[in-house]
Amino acid sequence: MDKGKNWTKYTNGFPTVSTKDLLIHPREKDLVIGTFGRALWVLDDIRPLQQLSSRPNLLDEEIVVFDAPTAYHAAYQQPTGSRFGADALFNGENRPSGGRISYYIKKGAEGLKTKDSIHLFVLKESDTIRHLKIKRPEKPGFHRTSWRLDEKGVANPSRNLRNSSREPSGADVLPGSYTLVTQIGDHVSQASIAVELDPRLNASLDDAKAVYQATKSLENLTDELTASTNRLAKANAQLKAFEAQLKANETNLEDEDKEALKSIKSEITTLQDKVFGKEDKRQGITRNPEMTVLTRIRNASRYVQSRKTGITATEEQLMGYAEKAVKGYTEEVTAFFDAQWKGFVERMSPLQAPVLSSIE
């Protein structure tokens, strides 16, 4: 840190071995080390160390995030050869996908009473497009995390109500410059990251925009479907509360009312099965070939996300199937709540069941 006046041994994974040459890769900012044993040892992205050498007071900051290496929407393909590797097969370690983000934190979680998380915000111009929470590391010092180059997404459909604080993943971001903001408590740091397309592919920005717009359209369909399944999940929750209320009050339903309760529960299950498929309670690896509303969306999404050079007629057709399925299902759920559910709530109203209500 003082241009060679003092030396500190680096032991973070580097062996005790005679070192013959050092080279900093000008583009990647990787430190390439040549050893006496004719080996190469690479320390990825030494930007944090470079900044530390010019900013010794950096270690006094509570948190510092560093400018990240250029991140690529890399395309992956299985190499030719064996399909499944056996034990002890040597493989080099690939560069992790997504954006590699380095940061420094003055205090680790070890010994702290309040172990608050690190908040990572990704901004496009002034808009926050992603918010990630990172567990505070046990040890202070330099650490790395990753961002998979995505925006905030929408919640997926579920049979049951979920209360998750995790932000869902969404569409891949378009190429461009983005701002990284880390925050812990009142302490904030800011850096930048550039995102580019895979330079090995013949893909254009227009191609990326077409895939992005298709992904956003499928997100809207997913959001619409989630709204419908949430209504059904809320109805199920009300029915469970209603049955618990009957038990607590020692109230016995008339046979017709029992049949109405059984019927409404069955109708909700039938509607849910159209999205998630019938529940398969078999053990082991099973496969359900049933085509559901959710399968329609997932099929379209899988094809769209695999496209690197624009959308084809195949993706457009699959998206059309998904849209038709979601719109039809929304109408079916709406009709159920406007008729069967409304009638059931009115039927049970003499029992003074405040847990039952209309569900918007």
Side-chain angles (χ1 to χ4, degrees):
M1 296 305 154
D2 54 10
K3 299 182 179 180
K5 292 181 181 178
N6 297 281
W7 289 80
T8 302
K9 186 176 181 180
Y10 184 89
T11 59
N12 190 9
F14 186 71
T16 300
V17 62
S18 177
T19 301
K20 294 299 181 180
D21 199 11
L22 302 173
L23 179 69
I24 298 175
H25 195 290
R27 183 189 66 211
E28 302 295 339
K29 304 301 181 186
D30 293 343
L31 177 62
V32 184
I33 303 173
T35 73
F36 178 74
R38 299 180 182 177
L40 286 177
W41 195 91
V42 182
L43 177 60
D44 292 333
D45 185 23
I46 64 167
R47 288 174 179 83
L49 296 179
Q50 289 177 321
Q51 287 203 25
L52 178 60
S53 66
S54 60
R55 293 171 54 195
N57 60 346
L58 181 149
L59 299 180
D60 297 328
E61 300 289 335
E62 290 294 330
I63 189 168
V64 179
V65 64
F66 303 96
D67 290 339
T70 299
Y72 296 93
H73 284 301
Y76 293 89
Q77 181 175 327
Q78 184 178 12
T80 56
S82 60
R83 181 170 176 82
F84 301 106
D87 184 42
L89 179 67
F90 174 77
N91 287 297
E93 184 179 351
N94 287 330
R95 170 177 175 166
S97 61
R100 297 180 298 169
I101 301 168
S102 301
Y103 65 94
Y104 165 81
I105 188 165
K106 186 178 180 180
K107 299 175 184 176
E110 193 175 55
L112 291 181
K113 293 182 179 180
T114 304
K115 299 183 179 181
D116 47 346
S117 300
I118 299 171
H119 295 266
L120 172 63
F121 301 92
V122 182
L123 281 68
K124 180 60 177 176
E125 297 176 350
S126 59
D127 296 328
T128 300
I129 61 169
R130 198 73 166 99
H131 175 203
L132 300 173
K133 289 183 180 179
I134 306 168
K135 184 179 179 181
R136 185 196 279 258
E138 288 295 313
K139 301 290 185 180
F142 294 91
H143 297 274
R144 283 199 171 121
T145 187
S146 62
W147 164 49
R148 65 171 301 274
L149 311 182
D150 58 342
E151 296 182 356
K152 175 184 177 181
V154 297
N156 288 316
S158 174
R159 284 183 183 270
N160 304 306
L161 292 174
R162 293 184 296 188
N163 185 21
S164 175
S165 60
R166 295 187 62 179
E167 186 177 272
S169 173
D172 289 343
V173 298
L174 292 171
S177 296
Y178 295 85
T179 301
L180 303 171
V181 177
T182 52
Q183 180 177 358
I184 192 160
D186 297 328
H187 305 282
V188 178
S189 179
Q190 181 173 310
S192 63
I193 184 172
V195 178
E196 295 183 9
L197 298 175
D198 193 326
R200 301 168 298 178
L201 301 181
N202 185 24
S204 67
L205 180 59
D206 287 340
D207 292 334
K209 287 180 178 179
V211 174
Y212 177 84
Q213 292 299 333
T215 304
K216 299 300 282 188
S217 296
L218 289 170
E219 279 188 4
N220 290 336
L221 291 178
T222 302
D223 198 36
E224 182 177 339
L225 182 60
T226 300
S228 293
T229 57
N230 280 349
R231 293 183 75 186
L232 295 171
K234 289 176 182 177
N236 259 338
Q238 286 192 14
L239 290 176
K240 288 180 181 179
F242 175 59
E243 289 179 303
Q245 186 183 59
L246 292 176
K247 184 177 181 180
N249 296 337
E250 298 182 350
T251 302
N252 293 318
L253 294 178
E254 299 292 337
D255 289 343
E256 291 183 355
D257 289 338
K258 286 182 180 179
E259 191 61 33
L261 176 59
K262 181 180 178 181
S263 176
I264 202 74
K265 290 170 68 176
S266 177
E267 289 186 58
I268 291 175
T269 300
T270 300
L271 285 170
Q272 289 181 323
D273 288 347
K274 290 183 178 182
V275 176
F276 306 104
K278 294 180 179 179
E279 290 189 281
D280 192 344
K281 297 182 180 180
R282 293 176 295 171
Q283 293 183 342
I285 299 174
T286 62
R287 179 173 295 175
N288 187 354
E290 184 180 358
M291 182 60 70
T292 65
V293 182
L294 191 56
T295 304
R296 289 291 188 191
I297 294 179
R298 286 175 175 171
N299 284 346
S301 297
R302 187 169 66 252
Y303 271 78
V304 167
Q305 291 170 8
S306 70
R307 298 298 304 173
K308 301 295 181 181
T309 55
I311 299 300
T312 69
T314 299
E315 287 76 46
E316 291 177 352
Q317 188 175 44
L318 290 173
M319 290 172 64
Y321 291 152
E323 182 177 11
K324 182 179 179 181
V326 171
K327 298 300 181 186
Y329 186 75
T330 301
E331 292 175 1
E332 195 171 355
V333 171
T334 301
F336 165 77
F337 279 101
D338 289 346
Q340 290 97 318
W341 180 257
K342 182 180 179 181
F344 176 77
V345 173
E346 291 175 351
R347 182 187 186 97
M348 299 300 170
S349 59
L351 297 175
Q352 295 182 346
V355 294
L356 296 176
S357 63
S358 60
I359 301 173
E360 301 301 328

